[in-house]
Amino acid sequence: MAAQTSSGQALEKFQHPFTLTQKVFASLPQVERGVSKIIGGDPKGNNFLYTNGKCVVIRNIDNPAIADIYTEHAHQVVVAKYAPSGFYIASGDVSGKLRIWDTTQKEHLLKYEYQPFAGKIKDLAWTEDSKRIAVVGEGREKFGAVFLWDSGSSVGEITGHNKVINSVDMKQTRPYRLATGSDDNCAAFFEGPPFKFKFTLSDHTRFVNCVRFSPDGNRFATASADGQIFVYDGKTGEKVCALGGGKAHDGGIYAISWSPDSSQLLSASGDKTAKIWDVGANSIVNTFNMGSNVLDQQLGCLWQKDHLLTISLSGYINYLDKNNPNKPLRVIKGHSKSIQCLTVHKNGGKSYIYSGSNDENDGFSGKGHTNQVSRMAVDEMDQLVTCSMDDTVRYTNLSKRDYSGQDAVKMDVQPKCLAVGPGGYTVVLCIGQIVLMKDKKKCFAIDDLGYEPEAVAIHPTGSTAAVGGADGNVHLYSIQGTSLKSDDKTLEAKGPVTDLAYSHDGAFLAVCDANKVVTVFSVADGYAEHNVFYGHHAKVVCIAWSPDNEHFASGGMDMMVYVWTVSDPETRVKIPDAHRLHHVSGLAWLDEHTLVTTSHDASVKEWSISYN
């Protein structure tokens, strides 16, 4: 009994010294050229849905900074849509798995999981009573299925196509109808339930990308890579008209969305425009010119309440302005690829988070790195210093926010880590080489190291550089003028070093390693071992000190983040599953109580921690 109590008490200590809240900066939609991107609408009108990697992102449509991320798919998710009841979301992935999960609770509990066919699910639709689901895509034997949501029992057959089906929709009023669009250049019309193929609509000459019924069920429209939109009678399937008479757009059309009152249609095209059509009068109401760059192609759209959203090939989400078609009301930007690193910069009392990836992001003007950014830091001149797999180290002025060309310094070999110190110093670790830079110029290099350098930190005084090696040691170097000199002193970590950091007051050096351990050395005591911190279940990959110098955070391949107390390894804050399914790739503190984490799931999360 006693053992249980003591472990109970230990647990108490483990759980109580803090409280935790979280804010999510969600990733953008993952997009692909020439492929339509579905934005799911919310029957209650509050949120919208899209996918990135294995994640479904739920964002508030009025305030997109409010976001939630569902991460339970094992494979890349393609489409997610709310049930008309608003209580469940169905999401389909590239392996053919369809998950139906709860939207009312934070945990998003799984209700049902089905595998309607083996292959990528490309679209899905619910009947208005939230009881039947149609799923289409790239199956091997069949390209679609329609079944009861709670049992998986079939309620018809989706036949009539001989190639992948891209799109499906169901009439939201009785009698039910179902329409599909396929790469065989045809749309198909079904009656039911049970749903049976009635006839093929072969008006298009290229792939049919999107089919959508109007909310009142009187019409449905089909949009194709041939630049045409056809409108049909929702009940009989008879053709009503071609929007614009001939071509509706100069490029392929990837998505269409009806207005809530069923009178107008929004279309998104590869010709870099979106248009609003008056369907009854067959006339254009608005043309939105989204730009001239290839990344301005429009791949998805959603009309919800008064909001008109489109998705560009850049991944940006545009809120269109009917009163000013050449300038969106707002554009949501961010990362759409995995984030490798991050840093925080205080400017005028405000904290800015900078995160690095290999997607083109536009927080800055000019041309940035051409490959993945592997490490970043801010120096005392308010410059963001970054190194990348494009073999350069770049200095970006944060007050100007401009990637200017002359401040890119070419390395002889690929850089993988860097640290900045006072006096204009930067120490860059390249493969098999350490380079000292002063005032943006290379001034010294050490080549024959005898070990592979992995991580570097500069002491706040600027006198010492600590380099962590794959040999399991930390090697100390003195920065003297324009040269680096080995101190012939090594500190032993518990495994190959993955990251290290000095506390802001310079009193401690924290080192994390591939053997799941963090070791803290006391600088004043000749780098004597001060404390060892155990807790991670996998390789620890990043470390960051709190501004209070008493706490530091570590992130690992076990998807865990721990916040440790230097003086007491037992008092720790555990953030389990900080980024589900993806390990933590970067940590930084905004202030003593706010930690920011990034991950390969392309999202940035902010945690508020208070020590009780």
Side-chain angles (χ1 to χ4, degrees):
M1 269 317 281
Q4 282 179 341
T5 340
S6 66
S7 69
Q9 286 165 343
L11 264 177
E12 299 272 297
K13 184 173 188 184
F14 189 81
Q15 287 166 339
H16 286 316
F18 67 95
T19 50
L20 205 60
T21 55
Q22 178 199 352
K23 226 162 80 183
V24 175
F25 301 90
S27 56
L28 289 178
Q30 182 173 355
V31 288
E32 212 179 313
R33 189 165 178 184
V35 180
S36 55
K37 184 71 189 179
I38 294 166
I39 318 179
D42 175 358
K44 297 189 165 77
N46 303 326
N47 300 324
F48 64 98
L49 303 172
Y50 57 80
T51 61
N52 182 317
K54 299 172 186 173
C55 307
V56 177
V57 179
I58 307 168
R59 293 184 93 155
N60 182 296
I61 199 159
D62 296 306
N63 179 6
I66 301 171
D68 190 6
I69 303 179
Y70 178 79
T71 55
E72 300 297 315
H73 277 274
H75 300 275
Q76 185 185 328
V77 200
V78 182
V79 57
K81 285 189 179 171
Y82 273 97
S85 68
F87 297 134
Y88 293 96
I89 288 172
S91 50
D93 67 27
V94 294
S95 74
K97 280 267 191 310
L98 180 83
R99 293 177 74 92
I100 300 171
W101 39 281
D102 179 277
T103 62
T104 57
Q105 278 132 17
K106 208 166 112 311
E107 290 75 39
H108 300 310
L109 298 170
L110 180 70
K111 184 79 173 164
Y112 301 108
E113 183 174 47
Y114 298 111
Q115 178 113 23
F117 45 80
K120 183 195 285 189
I121 293 175
K122 295 198 75 173
D123 198 5
L124 62 93
W126 294 78
T127 49
E128 46 75 38
D129 59 6
S130 302
K131 289 188 173 150
R132 300 170 189 81
I133 298 182
V135 180
V136 299
E138 295 178 7
R140 297 202 181 99
E141 306 81 42
K142 54 181 185 175
F143 301 116
V146 54
F147 50 89
L148 293 174
W149 86 294
D150 54 357
S151 66
S153 308
S154 174
V155 285
E157 280 191 276
I158 296 184
T159 55
H161 289 294
N162 55 25
K163 284 189 178 159
V164 42
I165 301 178
N166 298 315
S167 186
V168 64
D169 202 19
M170 291 205 256
K171 183 164 164 286
Q172 293 298 298
T173 53
R174 292 176 184 271
Y176 289 152
R177 300 287 183 263
L178 185 151
T180 53
S182 162
D183 274 7
D184 62 11
N185 303 353
C186 294
F189 188 70
F190 301 75
E191 291 179 1
F195 290 95
K196 288 194 180 67
F197 170 76
K198 291 308 278 187
F199 47 80
T200 297
L201 305 163
S202 39
D203 297 300
H204 289 291
T205 56
R206 298 279 310 280
F207 299 167
V208 181
N209 289 324
C210 191
V211 295
R212 293 292 178 254
F213 277 93
S214 60
D216 64 11
N218 291 337
R219 299 272 185 267
F220 72 93
T222 62
S224 158
D226 61 13
Q228 297 186 93
I229 299 172
F230 291 105
V231 179
Y232 302 89
D233 183 284
K235 195 171 162 189
T236 64
E238 286 171 34
K239 186 158 104 178
V240 177
C241 67
L243 287 185
K247 276 200 167 188
H249 281 273
D250 294 334
I253 302 166
Y254 291 107
I256 48 177
S257 182
W258 288 86
S259 63
D261 68 0
S262 301
S263 68
Q264 297 184 329
L265 188 75
L266 173 64
S267 57
S269 166
D271 67 6
K272 311 176 191 69
T273 69
K275 293 183 183 181
I276 294 177
W277 301 86
D278 181 321
V279 177
N282 194 353
S283 61
I284 294 181
V285 182
N286 285 75
T287 300
F288 302 90
N289 292 303
M290 304 305 294
S292 54
N293 189 309
V294 66
L295 292 176
D296 297 320
Q297 292 186 1
Q298 301 301 296
L299 300 181
C301 64
L302 173 68
W303 192 325
Q304 182 165 297
K305 285 188 175 168
D306 300 330
H307 296 291
L308 296 154
L309 271 59
T310 66
I311 292 182
S312 303
L313 178 54
S314 57
Y316 296 166
I317 302 164
N318 313 294
Y319 283 65
L320 305 183
D321 185 351
K322 286 187 193 170
N323 303 319
N324 183 2
N326 290 323
K327 189 171 190 301
L329 287 168
R330 71 190 299 175
V331 179
I332 306 174
K333 300 173 178 178
H335 284 288
S336 57
K337 296 187 183 158
S338 73
I339 300 174
Q340 307 292 335
C341 53
L342 119 135
T343 189
V344 164
H345 175 229
K346 283 202 170 31
N347 189 351
K350 264 176 121 168
S351 295
Y352 293 90
I353 304 169
Y354 295 98
S355 47
S357 171
N358 62 339
D359 45 13
E360 296 288 322
N361 213 325
D362 92 328
F364 302 89
S365 58
K367 187 87 182 97
H369 284 293
T370 53
N371 203 323
Q372 181 176 301
V373 178
S374 30
R375 197 66 174 224
M376 50 175 36
V378 177
D379 68 12
E380 57 185 6
M381 276 92 79
D382 284 346
Q383 296 178 118
L384 182 67
V385 189
T386 52
C387 67
S388 159
M389 289 185 177
D390 61 9
D391 294 359
T392 65
V393 171
R394 218 171 253 278
Y395 292 83
T396 307
N397 186 317
L398 290 182
S399 49
K400 290 197 197 122
R401 287 193 165 205
D402 184 14
Y403 295 121
S404 47
Q406 75 276 15
D407 293 344
V409 183
K410 188 94 177 82
M411 295 287 133
D412 304 328
V413 270
Q414 183 177 305
K416 52 186 175 180
C417 189
L418 58 76
V420 296
Y425 286 111
T426 305
V427 174
V428 184
L429 301 187
C430 301
I431 295 169
Q433 185 185 52
I434 304 174
V435 178
L436 176 69
M437 298 176 66
K438 184 166 167 53
D439 303 330
K440 307 186 200 175
K441 292 186 179 62
K442 290 192 270 193
C443 57
F444 198 80
I446 304 177
D447 286 314
D448 42 357
L449 294 170
Y451 68 95
E452 184 54 46
E454 295 294 342
V456 60
I458 297 179
H459 191 269
T461 58
S463 56
T464 305
V467 177
D471 60 352
N473 292 316
V474 176
H475 305 257
L476 299 177
Y477 296 86
S478 299
I479 298 175
Q480 301 173 351
T482 51
S483 66
L484 261 185
K485 191 167 174 302
S486 172
D487 289 355
D488 295 325
K489 184 177 177 70
T490 56
L491 318 173
E492 209 171 306
K494 311 291 180 224
V497 177
T498 50
D499 197 11
L500 44 79
Y502 280 103
S503 58
H504 302 277
D505 60 5
F508 298 107
L509 174 67
V511 180
C512 59
D513 62 50
N515 286 354
K516 310 180 271 204
V517 186
V518 181
T519 313
V520 172
F521 299 92
S522 170
V523 176
D525 302 330
Y527 287 93
E529 192 174 287
H530 178 74
N531 257 330
V532 185
F533 300 80
Y534 297 94
H536 280 284
H537 302 304
K539 182 174 169 177
V540 191
V541 289
C542 49
I543 200 152
W545 282 88
S546 161
D548 66 11
N549 296 312
E550 290 170 21
H551 300 92
F552 63 90
S554 61
M557 296 291 260
D558 53 4
M559 299 175 260
M560 296 280 191
V561 172
Y562 285 99
V563 179
W564 308 90
T565 307
V566 179
S567 52
D568 179 10
E570 296 304 310
T571 311
R572 57 186 180 181
V573 177
K574 178 182 182 182
I575 309 178
D577 287 340
H579 294 262
R580 296 237 349 149
L581 299 180
H582 298 271
H583 74 258
V584 181
S585 61
L587 299 166
W589 292 81
L590 288 182
D591 56 46
E592 294 181 7
H593 296 292
T594 316
L595 177 69
V596 179
T597 60
T598 60
S599 145
H600 296 289
D601 63 8
S603 67
V604 178
K605 292 186 181 180
E606 189 179 294
W607 309 85
S608 299
I609 301 165
S610 49
Y611 311 99
N612 303 338

